[in-house]
Amino acid sequence: MDTSGAQQRLEEALELAESGRKQEAQKRFRALVAEGARLPKAAMALGVLCGERGELAERRLWLLEARRLEESAGGPPSLRLLLNLQVDALEHNEPEQAMAYGEEALALAPEDGEAHLYQARVLVVMGRTREVSLHLEQACMLLRLRLKDQPDDVKAWRLLAMAELNSKRFDSAIEAQSHALRIDPNHLPSLVEISRLLIHKGQVDHAMPWLMNALANAPDDPDVLTLNGCALRTVGELSEAILLLQQALIVNPAH
């Protein structure tokens, strides 16, 4: 297979996945692999997409294949792959393996805030509370340093929001998500998270504009429908709340 052509097709597929056109992206990744392209990013992307659909066994196969391809090229596994492997191990209830992947990631990138955040999540499961706090504080510090140099780094704002939330600093988490949404106002997970945080703080009126934006972007998403229903219930709009919750159950009866 022509290497430059395969690389261009990979980049196009990655852009499709990033823009939310994941089904089309998956088809392109699978086509690349079927045609013999030895691209670790394609294997890793397939693993991530499988994980999002709950197909954990296939996710693991693709992630391990991505690692094999990276190592056969003579280099260490990438940070992104190690973090995905860590998530996979944790969701398979393998905290010790997840810890090992996290240690590998931190050895590779000790100044990466995301790596510290992911390791903190594993330590929570293992009940190692003191170490959780240390990694969360390190994550917040490193992410703030990153944002000082790159204030428009939307991913860093989202990671900071996650770290602040895990540290129980809700106002700081809301502030970080607000920054992320000023850069990318239609990012659905951020819209859902900031709405959930504001509702948790009893600030339903402040949550409603974010919720309406989320509903406009994903009118059939059961999480969005449910969150809107809960917000309307809180302000006493019971009939409208019931309609949205019923709609959520139509989309996903097990929600």
Side-chain angles (χ1 to χ4, degrees):
M1 172 177 286
D2 174 55
T3 305
S4 61
Q7 189 63 39
Q8 181 178 347
R9 289 168 60 192
L10 171 64
E11 295 301 326
E12 290 171 354
L14 289 169
E15 287 180 13
L16 286 170
E18 181 66 25
S19 67
R21 296 164 64 186
K22 295 182 180 181
Q23 189 171 2
E24 185 177 349
Q26 184 187 36
K27 289 179 181 177
R28 296 201 185 192
F29 290 132
R30 288 192 184 277
L32 276 168
V33 171
E35 292 168 25
R38 294 172 55 82
L39 297 169
K41 283 188 178 180
M44 180 168 64
L46 275 171
V48 170
L49 291 173
C50 288
E52 290 177 359
R53 296 196 310 274
E55 297 167 356
L56 302 190
E58 187 176 0
R59 175 180 67 185
R60 173 162 290 187
L61 289 173
W62 284 118
L63 292 180
L64 291 175
E65 172 65 6
R67 177 163 194 164
R68 187 187 68 78
L69 290 170
E70 287 190 349
E71 290 177 341
S72 68
S78 64
L79 176 64
R80 184 77 262 150
L81 177 58
L82 288 169
L83 295 179
N84 278 312
L85 283 165
Q86 187 180 39
V87 169
D88 177 73
L90 197 57
E91 291 184 3
H92 274 94
N93 196 28
E94 299 168 356
E96 295 292 344
Q97 181 61 66
M99 175 67 67
Y101 284 132
E103 290 171 350
E104 201 174 347
L106 286 167
L108 181 68
E111 300 301 311
D112 187 86
E114 187 175 10
H116 284 279
L117 174 59
Y118 276 47
Q119 193 73 328
R121 293 166 64 184
V122 177
L123 289 162
V124 167
V125 174
M126 301 180 78
R128 293 161 61 172
T129 310
R130 182 175 176 277
E131 293 171 79
V132 171
S133 299
L134 291 172
H135 279 284
L136 286 175
E137 290 308 315
Q138 189 74 356
C140 289
M141 181 194 73
L142 291 168
L143 288 165
R144 289 192 179 281
L145 285 173
R146 175 172 157 183
L147 286 162
K148 187 175 180 180
D149 293 331
Q150 305 171 56
D152 293 331
D153 186 340
V154 66
K155 181 181 178 181
W157 282 116
R158 291 171 187 150
L159 290 169
L160 179 60
M162 191 184 304
E164 297 285 14
L165 177 59
N166 280 276
S167 301
K168 308 299 182 187
R169 293 192 289 263
F170 300 112
D171 288 338
S172 296
I174 289 169
E175 181 185 359
Q177 286 289 15
S178 298
H179 277 285
L181 285 163
R182 280 198 285 273
I183 300 166
D184 182 6
N186 295 319
H187 185 255
L188 190 62
S190 293
L191 289 168
V192 169
E193 191 56 46
I194 196 171
S195 301
R196 187 175 283 120
L197 284 166
L198 288 166
I199 291 170
H200 172 77
K201 287 178 60 66
Q203 299 176 12
V204 179
D205 289 345
H206 290 105
M208 290 308 296
W210 301 116
L211 286 169
M212 291 175 67
N213 192 7
L215 194 60
N217 279 280
D220 296 321
D221 186 288
D223 288 330
V224 172
L225 290 164
T226 300
L227 203 55
N228 272 274
C230 291
L232 289 170
R233 180 193 62 185
T234 302
V235 297
E237 300 289 344
L238 300 184
S239 297
E240 292 182 35
I242 288 170
L243 288 174
L244 286 172
L245 293 169
Q246 286 176 332
Q247 190 176 343
L249 288 168
I250 290 169
V251 176
N252 181 4
H255 195 281

